[in-house]
Amino acid sequence: QVQLVESGGGLVQAGGSLRLSCVASGRTFSSYIMSWFRQASGKERNFVAVINRIGTYTNYANSVKGRFTISRDNAKNTVALQMDSLGPEETAVYYCAAAQKWNNIKFPNLYDDWGQGTQVTVSS
């Protein structure tokens, strides 16, 4: 198990950018597949982005491709989500999540650990 803490959320105007960060505890961070999910109020938690253990492969939800970038620094036990060209549809609580193995990484139930979430609000 790994403990995850997100930060970096806030209020941003449409077209702006935010960088979210997730800090993990423990010495086994590099063994985890890391993802970002988001959940808008009253809606399901949806996949946003994933990165493999060594940061050589990434995948994104179609809705954010070309605008969001996931990255990780295993030496610092961190994973980040750079979000550019934000629109109101990106308003949600963003969660960092860790998984032990590759499966269908778009399903929240397959993840082992979650952060508390950080609110992102994009004003129109």
Side-chain angles (χ1 to χ4, degrees), residues 57-72:
Y57 173 83
T58 59
N59 189 253
Y60 300 88
N62 288 336
S63 60
V64 307
K65 285 181 179 177
R67 299 187 296 115
F68 288 16
T69 304
I70 188 171
S71 61
R72 70 190 297 162

Side-chain angles (χ1 to χ4, degrees), residues 39-62:
Q39 186 169 22
S41 181
K43 298 185 178 180
E44 295 181 338
R45 188 169 298 188
N46 293 320
F47 170 79
V48 176
V50 63
I51 189 166
N52 71 341
R53 293 175 177 88
I54 60 175
T56 57
Y57 173 83
T58 59
N59 189 253
Y60 300 88
N62 288 336

Side-chain angles (χ1 to χ4, degrees), residues 4 19 44-45 53 56 66 69 85 88 94-95 108 110 119 124:
L4 306 171
R19 184 177 177 87
E44 295 181 338
R45 188 169 298 188
R53 293 175 177 88
T56 57
T69 304
S85 301
Y94 283 70
Y95 296 91
L110 299 179
Q119 176 70 49
S124 59

